[in-house]
């Protein structure tokens, strides 16, 4: 039976019950498991293809997103040709007498073709990824990488590989022969895995920015356009190999002004290909005709790069916030300059190409679709590429509590870094600075309810602490100060957390929650000093409290990001403890660690429940 009073669960609670509230995070602070540094070095077995898919653990939204990119493309309805004789109409067999609702369902079921037959008659739509192989690799390492790329091809992502080696300086007499040998090594390794390949030794790009693109559509003055460009006819070797079901392995050569094939940096070639392939695909898609039956060409491959994969020997970009362990997810729009400023000089020896690859990802994602992403991955983690393809998410969510990240066995020096073009983040502290029209549209689309605007904004006038806005109101977090009956310090309450449906699954949710952490319960920690337009991590963290309907499907996500929760009838109360205060207390006690309930935490759940449940609804 659901208790009617929100305080009744607190009255009945015992010490063991209170322990469960705090066990979520604190029991995991020292729960570290050993990591095998040689994991994923040897080529995985055939069964690893299926296991890699299972390990990705895609959600329903992830699956829908994957099918939207690689699944069956919908057919346009065909108009029936006019006939001179009337058609013979055979009525369907009579349905059993039942309710009208059942009749409709049965009729729809009878008219729906078998999904198995439908999938056989409509092959998976193939998309393209640009892959940089930053060698040199041993034969074992290369076989592990190429097997992962072959697996991606089975899932619909076809690789365009550009080879680069760091063991020879540019300008060496034998650099061309060395590059050609490395291309053939990659080709041989791919064919060993059963793939069809084509080495592309001729130049597929030309030196210099594309004529007429000096101004560039990018408004960022620090953005540098690619040093190479290509016209649609230059991409013929890549296009023809993809249509033939082959993986093109491209040597980093380009034509100079004298039509000589010269060695160029692989980053310059890849950036030029990202721009040129996107433009060429737009032209092809606009002129492509469908087959007579309305289906698309089964041999067609969309040249638009959906992914950029940078495969190297050291993994992702090291982060000061994780003691040199890699960044998990990067919002390039917001964090690019910050990463350059916080990059430790010592990392230049262990991660020599990290910053140049960061710039490459930024350039490529500028031209690629907004849904695209880049991943920097070590040769030791080839299975991570499959997980990224299916979910388009980092191996470990960047918005998880740091206690969980520190004890997560997936977080290693070779954990991949996922990069997105991202959106700007800003923090405002006045209701007058809110665009109420855009905010209302965001909240109503996200919650699918009608906002009581007058009452909602009037309440914010009296209680607003701050508002985080991602992009042009693509997402928001609204935090208010609620009066505390026992303390002069108000309760920090997460009133609204919303993301537009069109931006769910593109990293906006994680970017928003990280910014929320940096402005509330994470204040005072070095890893909260991110460029969100707020306090820059300076200050004292406060406990953050929020509520959610007990049947809200988002609660699973909240459970993972909160310190604890309390069920109150139709509601669930969540909270995240101020991290700095707990960290200081933990340091004082040393090996004794934190107790499940600290002295200052007694009675706060009852106080929070009494205040939070009285907050009026914002909806009509």
């Amino acid at each position: 039976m659901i208790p009617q009073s929100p305080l009744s669960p607190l009255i009945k609670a015992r010490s063991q019950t209170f322990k469960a509230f705090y066990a979520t995070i604190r029991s995991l602070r020292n729960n570290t498991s050993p990591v095998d540094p040689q994991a994923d070095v040897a080529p995985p077995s055939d069964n690893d293809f299926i296991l890699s898919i299972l390990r990705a653990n895609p959600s329903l939204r992830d699956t829908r997103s994957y099918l939207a990119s690689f699944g069956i493309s919908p057919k346009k309805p065909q108009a029936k040709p006019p006939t001179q004789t009337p058609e013979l109409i055979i009525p369907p067999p009579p349905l059993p007498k039942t309710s009208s609702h059942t009749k409709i369902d049965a009729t729809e079921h009878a008219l729906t073709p078998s999904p198995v037959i439908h999938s056989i008659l409509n092959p998976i739509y193939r998309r393209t990824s640009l892959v940089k192989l930053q060698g040199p690799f041993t034969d074992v390492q290369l076989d592990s990488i190429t097997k992962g790329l072959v697996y991606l091809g089975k899932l619909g992502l076809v690789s365009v590989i550009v080879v680069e080696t760091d063991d020879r300086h540019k300008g060496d007499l034998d650099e061309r022969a060395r590059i050609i040998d490395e291309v053939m090594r990659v080709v041989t390794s791919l064919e060993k895995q059963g793939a069809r390949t084509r080495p592309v030794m001729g130049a597929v790009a030309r030196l210099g920015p594309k004529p007429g693109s000096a101004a560039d559509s990018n408004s960022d003055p620090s953005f540098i356009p690619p040093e190479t460009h290509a016209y649609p006819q230059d991409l013929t070797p890549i296009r023809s190999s993809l249509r033939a079901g082959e993986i093109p392995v491209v040597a980093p050569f380009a034509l100079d002004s004298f039509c000589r094939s010269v060695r160029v940096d692989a980053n310059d070639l890849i950036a030029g290909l990202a721009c040129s392939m996107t433009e060429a695909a737009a032209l092809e898609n606009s002129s492509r005709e469908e087959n007579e039956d309305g289906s698309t060409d089964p041999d067609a491959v969309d040249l638009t790069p959906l992914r950029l994969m940078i495969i190297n020997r050291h993994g992702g970009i090291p982060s000061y916030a994780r003691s040199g362990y890699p960044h998990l997810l990067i919002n390039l729009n917001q964090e690019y300059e910050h990463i350059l400023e916080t990059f430790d000089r010592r990392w230049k020896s262990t991660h020599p190409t990290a910053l140049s690859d960061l710039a490459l990802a930024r350039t490529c994602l500028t031209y690629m679709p907004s849904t695209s992403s880049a991943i920097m991955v070590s040769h030791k983690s080839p299975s991570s590429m499959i997980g990224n393809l299916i979910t388009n998410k980092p191996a470990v969510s960047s918005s998880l509590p740091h206690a969980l990240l520190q004890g997560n066995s997936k977080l290693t020096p070779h954990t991949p870094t996922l990069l997105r073009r991202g959106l700007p983040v800003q923090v405002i502290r006045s209701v007058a600075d809110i665009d109420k029209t855009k905010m209302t549209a965001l909240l109503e689309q996200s919650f699918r309810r009608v906002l009581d605007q007058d009452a909602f904004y009037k309440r914010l006038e009296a209680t607003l602490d701050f508002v985080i806005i991602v992009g042009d109101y693509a997402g928001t977090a609204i935090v208010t100060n609620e009066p505390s009956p026992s303390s002069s310090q108000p309760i920090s309450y997460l009133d609204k957390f919303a993301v537009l449906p069109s931006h769910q699954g593109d990293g906006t949710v994680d970017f928003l929650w990280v910014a929320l952490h940096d402005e509330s319960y994470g204040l005072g920690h070095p890893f909260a000093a991110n460029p969100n337009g707020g306090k820059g991590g300076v200050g004292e963290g406060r406990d953050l409290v929020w509520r959610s309907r007990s049947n809200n499907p988002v609660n699973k996500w909240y459970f993972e990001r909160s310190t604890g929760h309390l069920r109150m009838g139709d509601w669930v109360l969540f909270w995240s403890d101020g991290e700095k205060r707990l960290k200081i207390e933990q340091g004082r006690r040393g090996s004794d660690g934190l107790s499940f309930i600290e002295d200052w935490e007694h009675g706060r759940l009852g106080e929070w429940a009494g205040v939070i449940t009285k907050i009026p609804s914002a909806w009509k």
Side-chain angles (χ1 to χ4, degrees):
M1 180 175 179
I2 299 176
Q4 299 299 319
S5 171
L7 297 179
S8 57
L10 302 174
I11 299 174
K12 299 178 181 179
R14 295 294 183 265
S15 60
Q16 293 300 321
T17 307
F18 278 105
K19 287 185 178 182
F21 296 151
Y22 292 85
T24 307
I25 298 300
R26 297 187 187 177
S27 61
L28 297 175
R29 290 185 182 273
N30 299 316
N31 183 21
T32 57
S33 56
V35 178
D36 181 6
Q38 298 300 319
D40 278 332
V41 173
S45 64
D46 293 337
N47 289 335
D48 192 57
F49 176 50
I50 298 175
L51 292 176
S52 298
I53 297 175
L54 295 176
R55 290 191 196 106
N57 192 23
S59 65
L60 181 59
R61 179 178 294 147
D62 298 334
T63 305
R64 288 173 177 169
S65 177
Y66 167 78
L67 291 177
S69 297
F70 298 94
I72 301 166
S73 55
K75 294 182 180 181
K76 293 182 180 179
Q78 270 190 299
K80 294 182 179 179
T83 57
Q84 299 298 326
T85 58
E87 296 184 51
L88 177 63
I89 301 176
I90 303 177
L95 296 173
K97 293 183 178 181
T98 180
S99 66
S100 59
H101 178 73
T102 306
K103 289 183 180 180
I104 294 174
D105 290 347
T107 304
E108 290 179 348
H109 180 74
L111 297 177
T112 303
S114 166
V116 177
I117 297 176
H118 202 253
S119 62
I120 293 174
L121 298 178
N122 294 267
I124 290 177
Y125 189 52
R126 294 185 293 164
R127 304 297 295 271
T128 308
S129 69
L130 278 170
V131 179
K132 176 189 176 185
L133 285 187
Q134 186 81 40
F137 299 108
T138 66
D139 291 341
V140 173
Q141 293 168 351
L142 189 58
D143 287 346
S144 176
I145 294 169
T146 54
K147 176 160 280 193
L149 295 178
V150 171
Y151 286 168
L152 292 179
K154 295 179 180 180
L155 292 171
L157 189 69
V158 186
S159 300
V160 176
I161 302 172
V162 179
V163 176
E164 181 67 288
T165 58
D166 295 334
D167 57 344
R168 294 295 178 95
H169 296 289
K170 293 180 177 61
D172 289 350
L173 294 177
D174 63 341
E175 68 170 346
R176 177 175 288 270
R178 174 68 177 172
I179 284 292
I180 292 175
D181 289 344
E182 193 65 22
V183 168
M184 295 312 299
R185 280 189 69 226
V186 175
V187 167
T188 301
S189 180
L190 285 167
E191 291 178 345
K192 190 193 305 183
Q193 311 302 332
R196 297 170 58 192
T197 62
R198 181 184 301 186
V200 180
M201 303 301 184
V204 294
R206 311 177 188 210
L207 280 178
K210 187 175 182 179
S213 63
D216 199 83
S217 59
N218 194 294
S219 59
D220 188 351
S222 65
F223 178 80
I224 301 175
E227 294 293 329
T228 65
H229 68 280
Y231 295 103
Q233 61 269 24
D234 299 327
L235 302 174
T236 298
I238 294 177
R239 185 185 295 104
S240 63
S241 61
L242 293 176
R243 288 185 64 87
E246 300 169 341
I247 298 177
V249 184
V250 183
F253 299 143
L255 293 178
D256 64 7
S257 57
F258 294 98
C259 293
R260 296 174 301 188
S261 177
V262 297
R263 164 79 187 280
V264 295
D265 189 282
N267 285 11
D268 293 333
L269 177 59
I270 293 173
L273 288 177
C275 175
S276 304
M277 290 171 64
T278 301
E279 292 177 350
L283 292 174
E284 292 177 4
N285 291 337
S286 62
S287 60
R288 180 178 293 151
E289 295 182 358
E290 291 186 337
N291 297 330
E292 293 181 358
D293 62 352
S295 63
T296 56
D297 184 356
D299 295 328
V301 179
D302 192 342
L303 278 181
T304 308
L306 189 68
R307 296 284 192 278
L308 169 67
M309 296 186 178
I310 301 171
I311 305 175
N312 53 37
R313 301 186 303 277
H314 48 72
I317 301 175
S319 167
Y320 75 97
R322 296 188 174 87
S323 304
Y325 274 31
H327 285 273
L328 299 173
L329 177 64
I330 294 178
N331 180 350
L332 288 169
N333 192 300
Q334 192 75 18
E335 302 176 48
Y336 181 76
E337 297 295 337
H338 182 67
I339 293 174
L340 296 181
E341 294 170 359
T342 57
F343 193 84
D344 196 311
R345 288 180 295 178
R346 293 173 296 180
W347 297 333
K348 292 183 178 179
S349 60
T350 58
H351 298 72
T353 64
L355 294 184
S356 61
D357 289 339
L358 176 69
L360 171 64
R362 183 193 189 203
T363 302
C364 291
L365 290 176
T366 300
Y367 299 106
M368 294 160 65
S370 59
T371 55
S372 299
S373 63
I375 184 172
M376 295 185 188
V377 60
S378 162
H379 64 84
K380 294 186 177 182
S381 304
S383 60
S384 299
M385 298 185 293
I386 294 178
N388 168 253
L389 171 65
I390 298 175
T391 66
N392 205 11
K393 294 178 181 178
V396 183
S397 174
S398 59
S399 61
L400 284 173
H402 285 266
L404 288 181
L405 291 177
Q406 293 168 359
N408 198 311
S409 61
K410 292 183 179 180
L411 191 59
T412 73
H414 291 271
T415 299
T417 295
L418 183 68
L419 305 98
R420 287 185 174 275
R421 185 193 308 174
L423 296 167
V425 181
Q426 60 174 320
V427 179
I428 58 179
R429 302 186 182 276
S430 171
V431 178
D433 295 330
I434 300 176
D435 188 324
K436 295 181 181 178
T437 301
K438 293 182 178 179
M439 177 63 76
T440 300
L442 164 59
L443 295 177
E444 290 186 345
Q445 289 184 48
S446 179
F447 287 92
R448 299 179 182 178
R449 302 180 69 179
V450 178
L451 186 69
D452 187 351
Q453 298 184 45
D454 293 339
F456 177 70
Y457 291 112
K458 183 178 180 180
R459 198 182 98 79
L460 290 188
E461 291 281 358
T463 62
L464 181 66
D465 185 4
F466 62 86
V467 178
I468 302 174
I469 298 173
V470 178
D472 188 15
Y473 288 80
T476 188
I478 302 176
V479 176
T480 60
N481 289 318
E482 304 299 330
S484 171
S486 63
S487 172
S488 60
Q489 186 178 31
I491 300 172
S492 185
Y493 174 64
L494 176 58
D495 190 284
K496 292 290 180 289
F497 186 86
V499 174
L500 285 176
S502 58
H503 285 271
Q504 293 175 4
D506 67 355
T508 300
V509 172
D510 279 329
F511 296 145
L512 181 59
W513 192 270
V514 170
L516 174 64
H517 162 273
D518 296 345
E519 294 300 313
S520 56
Y521 63 95
L523 278 175
H525 275 312
F527 47 72
N530 294 311
N532 299 317
K535 296 182 179 180
V538 179
E540 293 294 327
R542 297 165 57 192
D543 300 338
L544 181 69
V545 186
W546 68 99
R547 69 183 182 183
S548 176
R549 291 282 181 183
S550 58
N551 59 352
N552 190 343
V554 183
N555 286 346
K556 178 181 182 296
W557 198 81
Y558 286 152
F559 288 143
E560 296 172 342
R561 282 151 187 81
S562 62
T563 303
H565 68 278
L566 172 66
R567 294 191 179 274
M568 306 182 303
D570 293 336
W571 294 95
V572 180
L573 173 72
F574 294 94
W575 72 91
S576 289
D577 290 325
E579 293 179 336
K580 182 180 178 181
R581 178 173 52 182
L582 289 180
K583 192 69 176 178
I584 293 174
E585 190 66 27
Q586 186 182 28
R588 288 174 179 168
R589 300 185 186 183
S591 59
D592 292 340
L594 292 169
S595 62
F596 287 106
I597 303 177
E598 298 297 329
D599 292 339
W600 66 78
E601 295 174 336
H602 282 287
R604 65 175 185 168
L605 295 182
E607 180 178 309
W608 288 344
V611 172
I612 300 307
T613 53
K614 294 177 182 178
I615 295 177
S617 172
W619 312 107
K620 290 185 177 180

